[in-house]
Amino acid sequence: MKDIITLGIESSCDETAVSVVKNGREVLSNVINTQIPIHTLYGGVVPEIASRNHIQNISAVTKEAIKQANIKFDDIDVVAVTYGPGLVGALLVGLSYAKALSYALQKPLVGVNHIEGHIAANYITYKELEPEFLCMMMSGGNTQIVQVKDYTQFELLGKTRDDAIGEAFDKVARVIELGYPGGPKVDKLAQEGKPTIELPKTHFDNLDFSFSGIKTAVINLHHKNPDINKADLCKSFEKSVTEVLIENIKKAIDITNIKTVVLAGGVSANSYIRNEFLQLQNKGINVYMPEMALCTDNAAMIACAGYYNYINGKISDLSLNAIPDLKL
């Protein structure tokens, strides 16, 4: 059987990323041009600036990915690209470039859901991993429990009703003046603190989440007591949100009787969350999580998801448009 070489393109937020992946799981190159230093000046991602930098960088990043993979453009079999969810201007840059490449090379175009890409990052880290499993999806824009029935078949079991968990991390970091990006900074400071502060947790009868209450409680505590121990506040916040995640994933396991849990998304890089989920292994649950480099936005995960869409006949045409609020 002939090897399938997929070129993946990811530009949904502030990373211009291109990757070459063989047969869905073997990464030949994974090039990321990050804009974090630029957006740090503004305390968060500025959409117009992100789009402009994608335009400036995407061609060079693509050529570098081809070079590192030691292939030629003609060796590409499939062009996979994120078409949502994300910032519409940023998405359109990657999508337009992918369409042009697909047309010029006369190779199939495959649109990939960004969330699906995050789930697929685990297939690269664990060559043996196959569906069916439960995915705890945690990112700046999404908090979801997904039942992954097959490589291209998903059922949403629970979602956030307000803030995504990554959004809550960023807002807490901003209020206590840790800077951007907030998630890693909260995680680092929390390692110096103790979970001594009681914070509210929202519970539902189903598998949904809510993080606005706990975020607001942290903000109010800091405003009322500016001298509060920030490390303890971060640790308490981290512990409380993790307890909510664990509680819901345990309920999902009981409902579905699926004993394999996979983490995905940028927040899955959080050291405390990773460690707490690993404790589930003591209860007979198989736990998988992407290697750190594949937790945050990258194009290898898009190429991987694109490959599985392609072999399952899910091919896009050149009318494919960006969908900023795309659902799984």
Side-chain angles (χ1 to χ4, degrees), residues 101-126:
L101 208 54
S102 167
Y103 182 78
L105 298 174
Q106 290 297 292
K107 297 296 169 70
L109 176 73
V110 176
V112 174
N113 184 310
H114 183 77
I115 301 169
E116 193 179 330
H118 274 302
I119 296 170
N122 286 279
Y123 299 135
I124 296 170
T125 303
Y126 305 97

Side-chain angles (χ1 to χ4, degrees), residues 143-219:
T143 311
Q144 302 175 347
I145 296 178
V146 180
Q147 184 176 345
V148 180
K149 297 184 173 183
D150 205 345
Y151 289 105
T152 61
Q153 276 189 294
F154 311 92
E155 183 179 348
L156 186 63
L157 303 182
K159 64 184 186 303
T160 183
R161 296 190 181 184
D162 41 59
D163 292 4
I165 188 169
E167 189 181 353
F169 267 96
D170 283 340
K171 286 180 179 175
V172 166
R174 193 176 305 134
V175 166
I176 62 175
E177 299 171 343
L178 294 183
Y180 172 85
K185 293 181 185 293
V186 171
D187 188 15
K188 185 178 180 182
L189 186 56
Q191 291 170 28
E192 301 171 18
K194 295 177 181 176
T196 55
I197 301 166
E198 193 68 32
L199 294 169
K201 288 180 291 208
T202 304
H203 306 274
F204 298 110
D205 291 335
N206 59 12
L207 299 176
D208 283 355
F209 300 91
S210 171
F211 297 109
S212 64
I214 188 170
K215 174 205 69 181
T216 303
V218 170
I219 292 169

